[in-house]
Amino acid sequence: MSRLDTRRLSVPGTDDGIRAALDALEALTSAHGLSRAVTWPMEVSLDEALANVVRHGLEGRGETASVELELRLDPSAEPAVCEVVLVDDGPEFDPLAVSEPDTSLGLAVRPIGGLGIALVRKLMDELEYERRDGRNRLRMMRRLVAIET
């Protein structure tokens, strides 16, 4: 039987809000004894996705903007599964519709941006985006296993 542990929080659309979200994710995973060896892809992906929302979608709104988060962990699954849902009221933006960056181009001619989204795509097992009721909703899910090098 699943022992889903769910945490809901709202963070300001600021760097402090990003830190609070990362702290909440770390508290959730460490409460279940999960090591950073398996949780770091979720942390990196949450940091990247939330930083994009704060710096682009909610830019200039600061403390007046907030992002709703739902953190879910099923430690009884084999392997454990972690899911993060981000909801914001910024302009519509589907990060999954962004084309992969051309990394074959030299740094001098390569357009800025897109690498973070590409990284999140590689780290997550599932990504879903939808625009619902004037809000962006991004769901990221990963089975918590170590990445083989």
Side-chain angles (χ1 to χ4, degrees):
M1 176 170 218
S2 173
R3 297 180 331 195
L4 193 63
D5 189 348
T6 302
R7 316 265 172 105
R8 291 177 182 84
L9 64 150
S10 178
V11 299
T14 63
D15 287 343
D16 286 342
I18 296 170
R19 178 80 264 151
L22 291 169
D23 289 347
L25 179 60
E26 184 179 1
L28 174 63
T29 58
S30 62
H32 293 279
L34 296 167
S35 77
R36 295 213 55 202
V38 297
T39 63
W40 72 264
M42 285 304 304
E43 295 166 14
V44 168
S45 297
L46 175 57
D47 189 8
E48 182 60 37
L50 194 49
N52 281 341
V53 168
V54 167
R55 292 190 179 90
H56 303 293
L58 304 176
E59 184 178 21
R61 290 175 49 193
E63 296 286 337
T64 66
S66 65
V67 180
E68 307 300 317
L69 290 106
E70 188 166 314
L71 311 173
R72 299 182 198 128
L73 179 67
D74 184 350
S76 64
E78 191 53 49
V81 173
C82 187
E83 183 176 283
V84 173
V85 178
L86 301 170
V87 180
D88 70 85
D89 67 353
E92 183 172 358
F93 177 72
D94 179 355
L96 308 182
V98 174
S99 59
E100 289 285 325
D102 183 353
T103 56
S104 68
L105 296 174
L107 289 177
V109 294
R110 186 183 311 163
I112 294 174
L115 292 175
I117 292 170
L119 177 63
V120 170
R121 284 180 177 148
K122 290 193 183 337
L123 292 175
M124 292 298 99
D125 292 320
E126 293 179 16
L127 286 169
E128 293 176 1
Y129 168 84
E130 70 176 327
R131 180 79 174 178
R132 184 190 318 164
D133 300 324
R135 297 169 63 96
N136 297 300
R137 182 180 185 278
L138 179 66
R139 185 184 75 84
M140 305 183 290
M141 188 279 292
R142 178 170 172 83
R143 289 166 200 83
L144 299 180
V145 295
I147 292 179
E148 295 188 25
T149 56

